[in-house]
Amino acid sequence: MFWKSVLLIAATIPVSAMAQSAGKLGTLPHGIYQCSLPGDAAGAAWVDLPGKQFIIDNASSYHTADGAGTYLFTGNRVTFTRGPMNGMQFERTGSQTLRWLDEKGELSRVRCTRRAGSI
């Protein structure tokens, strides 16, 4: 009876909600992540967004010029859970790159890339 109840409850959860929580728990590579927008053919390939950077430094923590917080990384989804970036979500699209997810959960044009070098 218990498992039948669990299955009934699971059947009512939207697939997208289950997909967000799927995957192994992990951490991002330490370093400075700079956020940018695509440029154009007449200029730079990427245009840095001033003041839009964060540092991943210890376990599941980060900090910005506005303070520190924590994040949760499961599967390819990064969700900032505390601090100045609370509620922001990203999808990991490469080993050093995150793409910001808009309020609809869709990939935006903003990407945050880990800079070379150390903190």
Side-chain angles (χ1 to χ4, degrees), residues 31-108:
I32 299 170
Y33 288 75
Q34 177 63 52
C35 299
S36 58
L37 282 168
D40 58 39
W46 291 93
V47 179
D48 287 346
L49 296 171
K52 300 297 181 192
Q53 71 176 16
F54 56 93
I55 298 173
I56 301 295
D57 55 4
N58 185 19
S60 293
S61 65
Y62 74 94
H63 66 270
T64 70
D66 297 324
T70 56
Y71 68 90
L72 180 65
F73 177 36
T74 55
N76 285 329
R77 179 73 48 103
V78 178
T79 302
F80 288 84
T81 56
R82 287 191 179 162
M85 295 176 68
N86 186 29
M88 293 184 75
Q89 293 189 342
F90 293 83
E91 183 174 307
R92 188 173 187 185
T93 57
S95 62
Q96 311 294 319
T97 306
L98 305 172
R99 290 272 306 273
W100 178 64
L101 297 171
D102 65 17
E103 57 280 345
K104 296 177 187 173
E106 297 175 5
L107 288 175
S108 75

